[in-house]
Amino acid sequence: MNALQQEYHDVLSGMQGRDILVIGDMVADIYLDGRISRISREAPVLVLEQAGEKVVAGGAANVVNNIATLGGKVHAVGLVGRDKSADGLRAILAKNGADVRGLIADDSRPTISKTRIIAGGRATVSQQIVRIDRESKAPMAPAVEAELCAYIKSVLPTVEGVVISDYGSDTVTEGLQSLLIDYCQAKGIPSIVDSRYAVRRFHGIGYVKQNDAEIAAAMGRELVTTEDIVRAAEELRQELAAKGVLVTRGELGMVLVEHGAVHEIPVSDKSEVFDVSGVGDTCVAAVILALAAGVAPATAARLSNIASGIAVRKLGTSTVSVRELAAAIEKSREEYTSK
């Protein structure tokens, strides 16, 4: 084992049991598998015989799941309905040891769900033919926000890291955002936001995670080169008064921009990328656990890069285990250098 591998193993050990709070849009990804039976007489569409149904943690719930499987102690905070999707999410997260008391049920809204209909047959390749999304667009009721706030305050004294996972469904109100960011600043607790559409609202957050398309949209311009990415990341870091901005770039790896430092991180495994669904969630989970363990941000980003390399080779939103990450570290022979 070389020195870098030993360092990663030490970090992995330090990540175990770290207490993390994740707040955000909890999503139930539902997969309905159907066998093609015939063409309908009612319309030119396929008739499917349902062969299976699976509920998978998506959105912020996938971050929760990844933190749990990577060895963290994690509190899931968000809104759900009183429905089958909520029951499925709670069961999935609790099975991996997550604290689900912060999943507050709101009678006025459904659990955010994305139902994918998968069609296939004995002689055909299965493929997604339609997706049905379900969520409420109504603002959060003050009573529900107060319940979320009370739960957050009850667990904050033990928390060592905070993740805000914002998929655009407005779970994180301005009040909850201020509560968490102000607390993390006052206590010196690492925090990170992964926001799909509104990252520029999170002033004062510790770290920011964006993919290259998200940061281009946030900054309102095309980002073609690495220099473009670095410049935009530094602008965003300064605007938000953040400690660092981590930009994921698919097969081009990652770039971490801190005050006075830029770290270019190549992909950890150059094998084919199979599925990028949920890989950003794995990245965020690994980063916050490493930061909570007191690891330097560049090392946290590099370790998350290895974890992400495992996730891309799995279909759909998925988790990475401690054992898988340890095995990938053993396999890795590439020495990284910071610029």
Side-chain angles (χ1 to χ4, degrees):
M1 182 183 297
N2 61 36
L4 185 64
Q5 288 173 320
Q6 183 60 58
E7 180 184 8
Y8 286 157
H9 276 291
D10 292 343
V11 174
L12 191 56
S13 177
M15 288 162 53
Q16 303 311 295
R18 296 295 172 180
D19 198 316
I20 309 296
L21 183 149
V22 177
I23 184 172
D25 303 318
M26 301 290 168
V27 179
D29 283 331
I30 303 170
Y31 294 84
L32 294 179
D33 291 320
R35 294 178 181 175
I36 299 172
S37 173
R38 63 186 185 278
I39 300 297
S40 173
R41 295 180 180 180
E42 301 169 358
V45 296
L46 296 173
V47 174
L48 305 178
E49 294 179 358
Q50 187 168 334
E53 179 177 348
K54 179 173 66 173
V55 180
V56 177
N62 191 43
V63 181
V64 172
N65 233 5
N66 272 276
I67 290 173
T69 58
L70 285 170
K73 177 182 178 182
V74 58
H75 309 277
V77 182
L79 293 182
V80 294
R82 295 191 187 276
D83 49 30
K84 184 179 178 182
S85 295
D87 294 340
L89 273 184
R90 285 195 180 94
I92 292 166
L93 300 180
K95 181 180 179 181
N96 286 325
D99 179 356
V100 297
R101 293 175 298 162
L103 297 182
I104 304 302
D106 183 348
D107 293 329
S108 68
R109 67 180 67 229
T111 302
I112 303 169
S113 63
K114 299 177 181 180
T115 301
R116 297 162 175 85
I117 311 297
I118 313 296
R122 292 180 179 177
T124 60
V125 176
S126 294
Q127 63 181 15
Q128 180 178 325
I129 60 173
V130 69
R131 193 180 93 180
I132 304 169
D133 290 359
R134 187 179 185 214
E135 69 174 288
S136 172
K137 299 296 185 181
M140 187 187 303
V144 176
E145 182 177 3
E147 193 171 352
L148 282 169
C149 184
Y151 174 77
I152 291 170
K153 288 180 177 179
S154 74
V155 299
L156 275 179
T158 68
V159 164
E160 299 171 279
V162 169
V163 176
I164 298 176
S165 182
D166 172 33
Y167 276 76
S169 295
D170 300 323
T171 299
V172 186
T173 64
E174 289 186 9
L176 296 175
Q177 171 185 328
S178 296
L179 168 65
L180 289 165
I181 291 177
D182 291 349
Y183 185 89
C184 288
Q185 287 181 336
K187 300 295 184 180
I189 295 171
S191 61
I192 187 169
V193 64
D194 185 3
S195 178
R196 181 165 290 182
Y197 305 113
V199 71
R200 297 176 76 168
R201 64 173 270 205
F202 294 96
H203 188 273
I205 196 75
Y207 292 87
V208 176
K209 183 269 172 188
Q210 294 274 272
N211 63 35
D212 45 9
E214 290 167 344
I215 193 170
M219 304 310 289
R221 64 179 187 266
E222 187 176 8
L223 305 176
V224 179
T225 66
T226 299
E227 290 72 20
D228 292 338
I229 294 284
V230 170
R231 190 175 301 111
E234 175 59 16
E235 289 176 18
L236 183 61
R237 188 195 68 77
Q238 291 187 27
E239 179 181 333
L240 298 182
K243 294 180 179 179
V245 174
L246 177 64
V247 182
T248 57
R249 306 180 66 199
E251 72 279 4
L252 298 178
M254 301 177 176
V255 175
L256 173 64
V257 176
E258 300 179 273
H259 177 62
V262 176
H263 311 273
E264 293 183 41
I265 306 169
V267 292
S268 62
D269 190 327
K270 293 183 172 59
S271 61
E272 183 180 357
V273 174
F274 291 102
D275 192 341
V276 297
S277 302
V279 172
D281 301 328
T282 300
C283 170
V284 169
V287 167
I288 195 63
L289 282 170
L291 291 175
V295 173
T299 301
R302 289 168 182 143
L303 190 69
S304 79
N305 189 46
I306 298 174
S308 299
I310 300 168
V312 296
R313 291 186 291 280
K314 298 183 178 184
L315 292 176
T317 53
S318 57
T319 60
V320 174
S321 70
V322 176
R323 180 176 297 180
E324 287 174 317
L325 185 51
I329 291 169
E330 290 286 352
K331 182 181 177 182
S332 176
R333 299 296 179 187
E334 184 169 4
E335 293 284 346
Y336 294 109
T337 58
S338 298
K339 291 188 177 182

